[in-house]
């Protein structure tokens, strides 16, 4: 066993695929699930993994009832004690994606990220925080290429605003962390309508930019969820992740020519060539 990793959002599209791949890579994954009992949390994970055609490997998976909106994710003291000093990464994928103007999307996402930061600090200095963000936080200037240094700017809605605020929160924190910015994530390979619908957040952006990723030379990114999950497993495998490094995971157009990992000091950049 390579070690312990805690993840939120494993019942979702991206988090579920990350959890599966981490287990396959030899990690024990502790998955925080919005529930009140271990049995309920386990059932939620079983339903999610079934959508990927997989079964839960309980020798490498621990269901943790809790809530990202609760202090320290609502994790009980016994579980915290087992993870304290041993958990290597906290991967925060859970997020509200509603774009309704009157929704609590921004409030809930910022609250959840604050709790993820606090949990990482509670578990010890070895617990690095990997914060799932989105490339949509920086869609300006139009027609340009976004890399890991791109600042916030361009199109905004409540979801985008929440992701920008969450990034700022992580950057200001004292925990060792990295921000992950995948682009348009497609549910390729998962026969589930709710995951296919998850890409609908991008339609307003398409309307504003007036562009679709239909050709190999389009300056717009679309990636499969499997590509994103595999790239994050690579990030985890790299020993050093610098404080508040922004990690960009991109696939230009519809071409997938290969993945490259560049390590500069402790900084890790994951991209494609």
């Amino acid at each position: 066993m390579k070690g312990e990793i805690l993840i939120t959002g494993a019942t979702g599209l991206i988090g579920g695929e990350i959890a599966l791949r981490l287990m396959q890579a030899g990690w024990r994954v502790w998955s925080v699930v919005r529930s009140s009992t271990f049995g309920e949390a386990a059932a939620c994970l079983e339903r999610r993994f079934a959508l990927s055609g997989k079964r839960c490997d309980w020798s490498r998976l621990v269901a943790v009832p809790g809530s990202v909106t609760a202090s320290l994710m609502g994790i009980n003291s016994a579980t915290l004690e087992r993870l304290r000093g041993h958990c290597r990464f906290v991967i925060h994928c859970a997020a509200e994606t509603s774009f309704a103007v009157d929704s609590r999307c921004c409030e809930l996402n910022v609250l959840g990220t604050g709790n993820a930061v606090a949990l990482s600090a509670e578990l010890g200095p070895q617990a690095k925080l990997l914060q799932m963000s989105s490339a949509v936080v920086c869609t300006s200037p139009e027609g340009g290429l976004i890399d890991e240094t791109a600042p916030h700017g361009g199109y905004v809605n409540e979801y985008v605003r929440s992701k920008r605020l969450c990034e700022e929160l992580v950057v200001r924190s004292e925990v060792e962390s990295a921000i992950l910015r995948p682009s348009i994530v497609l549910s390729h390979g998962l026969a589930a309508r709710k995951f296919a619908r998850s890409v609908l957040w991008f339609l307003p952006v398409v309307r504003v930019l007036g562009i679709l990723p239909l050709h190999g030379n389009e300056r717009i990114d679309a990636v499969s969820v499997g590509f994103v999950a595999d790239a994050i497993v690579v990030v985890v495998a790299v020993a050093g992740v610098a404080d508040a490094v922004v990690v960009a995971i991109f696939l230009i157009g519809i071409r997938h020519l290969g993945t490259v990992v560049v390590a500069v000091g402790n900084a890790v950049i994951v991209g494609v060539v």
Side-chain angles (χ1 to χ4, degrees):
M1 196 73 68
K2 289 184 177 179
E4 318 290 332
I5 291 181
L6 184 141
I7 187 171
T8 70
T11 57
L13 172 61
I14 299 175
E17 295 305 298
I18 294 172
L20 283 168
R21 282 162 172 76
L22 287 172
M23 288 188 292
Q24 292 167 358
W27 294 88
R28 177 180 286 113
V29 177
W30 299 68
S31 175
V32 179
V33 180
R34 184 171 57 186
S35 56
S36 57
T37 67
F38 285 97
E40 184 182 349
C44 289
L45 290 171
E46 288 175 341
R47 288 193 294 269
R48 165 59 185 89
F49 290 177
L51 296 177
S52 298
K54 305 291 184 180
R55 300 183 66 178
C56 292
D57 179 357
W58 296 113
S59 67
R60 294 186 176 180
L61 177 65
V62 182
V64 181
S67 171
V68 296
T69 60
S71 175
L72 298 180
M73 301 291 182
I75 301 173
N76 67 39
S77 58
T79 300
L80 288 174
E81 185 59 32
R82 289 189 63 184
L83 290 173
R84 193 175 288 113
H86 300 286
C87 181
R88 296 278 304 281
F89 293 92
V90 172
I91 304 178
H92 183 43
C93 296
E96 171 60 57
T97 59
S98 172
F99 300 147
V101 175
D102 59 349
S103 76
R104 297 180 60 203
C105 172
C106 187
E107 176 186 351
L108 294 175
N109 287 347
V110 173
L111 175 60
T113 297
N115 289 331
V117 168
L119 178 61
S120 296
E122 173 69 21
L123 296 181
Q126 83 295 330
K128 299 176 177 67
L129 173 63
L130 301 184
Q131 169 72 19
M132 184 63 66
S133 186
S134 171
V136 77
V137 299
C138 45
T139 57
S140 178
E142 293 181 16
L145 293 177
I146 300 170
D147 63 18
E148 70 282 354
T149 65
H152 296 165
Y155 178 83
V156 64
N157 57 26
E158 281 299 287
Y159 173 74
V160 174
R161 188 166 73 90
S162 78
K163 288 298 184 181
R164 290 175 180 172
L165 292 173
C166 290
E167 285 195 4
E168 293 168 5
L169 184 60
V170 171
V171 169
R172 291 197 306 267
S173 76
E174 296 183 358
V175 301
E176 194 169 357
S177 58
I179 295 170
L180 308 166
R181 286 178 175 175
S183 52
I184 310 161
V185 181
L186 307 177
S187 59
H188 177 70
L190 278 75
R193 288 187 177 183
K194 73 171 186 175
F195 291 148
R197 290 195 298 267
S198 68
V199 76
L200 294 180
W201 69 266
F202 185 64
L203 294 181
V205 182
V206 170
R207 181 174 179 274
V208 171
L209 298 182
I211 189 171
L212 283 172
L214 299 179
H215 305 288
N217 62 350
E218 293 284 17
R219 288 190 169 186
I220 196 167
D221 293 352
V223 295
S224 71
V225 65
F227 173 78
V228 173
D230 287 338
I232 292 174
V233 171
V234 172
V235 172
V236 167
V238 177
V241 179
D243 183 35
V245 169
V246 176
V247 180
I249 303 174
F250 293 135
L251 178 61
I252 305 303
I254 57 175
R255 296 168 296 171
H256 187 171
L257 303 182
T259 304
V260 61
V261 179
V262 180
V264 183
N266 282 333
V268 181
I269 302 170
V270 178
V272 298
V273 292

